[in-house]
Amino acid sequence: MSGMTIDELADYGMERMTDEEIERFLKTQSLGILGLPTGETPYLLPMSYGYDGGSTLYFVYVVGAESRKATLSDRADTASFLVYSAETMFHWRSVLATGSLRRLSTDEQSALSDAETPIWRPELLETASETEQTRVYELAVDEWTGIRHAIAPPTFAQRSSRDGSE
């Protein structure tokens, strides 16, 4: 099944999410995987994010003297961000967003609303933000794809199909 498209997988319970469903999903989640381009394989990072309700995501980086993620982010033309939720093997959703990533100025950072600031803030971020070792980046989303899979477990589906054939 690895080479099949989302539409071809509809028979298996997979569906594309609408833009409204994607926006609702992004509003209810707080963590994802940021993919930054490198010369070889992408550099993947679990990240908390803030969301403006439209087409922009925000990330807070804790940076040291040399930060690979900041260096790669500053050089990147495009980046990808994957947000997913897997309640069970029969019920899961994922959104892949791709767009341009840029560092916000200090003024832009201070203008962010609570909703745009990442919700999930570990103690490390709180401590670092007091010592000004943080940077905020925004991902302006050019394209997103959302898929969901929601089917009844096979035992239920098998039982109901047997009942219906009598």
Side-chain angles (χ1 to χ4, degrees):
M1 285 198 324
S2 61
M4 298 178 84
T5 65
I6 295 170
D7 296 329
E8 290 171 322
L9 290 170
D11 290 344
Y12 298 96
M14 195 165 318
E15 301 174 343
R16 287 182 187 274
M17 293 166 67
T18 65
D19 286 345
E20 294 76 25
E21 289 170 328
I22 289 172
E23 290 169 8
R24 253 194 327 272
F25 179 67
L26 291 175
K27 285 178 188 173
T28 62
Q29 302 300 306
S30 58
L31 294 169
I33 306 293
L34 180 64
L36 299 170
T38 69
E40 305 91 39
T41 58
Y43 186 60
L44 301 175
L45 294 156
M47 295 289 295
S48 175
Y49 70 94
Y51 176 52
D52 71 352
S55 60
T56 308
L57 302 169
Y58 300 92
F59 310 101
V60 177
Y61 291 12
V62 176
V63 294
E66 292 183 31
S67 169
R68 185 166 186 215
K69 67 183 163 195
T71 301
L72 290 172
S73 295
D74 291 339
R75 285 203 299 242
D77 289 329
T78 61
S80 294
F81 192 63
L82 176 68
V83 182
Y84 65 93
S85 169
E87 291 84 15
T88 71
M89 64 181 4
F90 304 107
H91 189 266
W92 53 265
R93 293 168 291 175
S94 70
V95 169
L96 178 63
T98 305
S100 56
L101 191 65
R102 75 175 185 93
R103 182 180 173 183
L104 297 186
S105 69
T106 308
D107 288 347
E108 288 173 314
Q109 276 181 228
S110 55
L112 289 180
S113 70
D114 286 345
E116 294 164 338
T117 305
I119 302 165
W120 192 80
R121 292 175 61 91
E123 185 59 33
L124 170 69
L125 277 185
E126 295 299 336
T127 306
S129 62
E130 291 164 14
T131 60
E132 298 178 5
Q133 294 176 309
T134 59
R135 295 182 192 167
V136 178
Y137 285 79
E138 73 169 18
L139 179 68
V141 178
D142 296 323
E143 182 182 3
W144 60 25
T145 305
I147 55 174
R148 63 188 175 135
H149 186 251
I151 61 169
T155 52
F156 177 78
Q158 289 163 353
R159 192 176 327 116
S160 60
S161 64
R162 274 200 311 270
D163 294 344
S165 62
E166 292 174 2

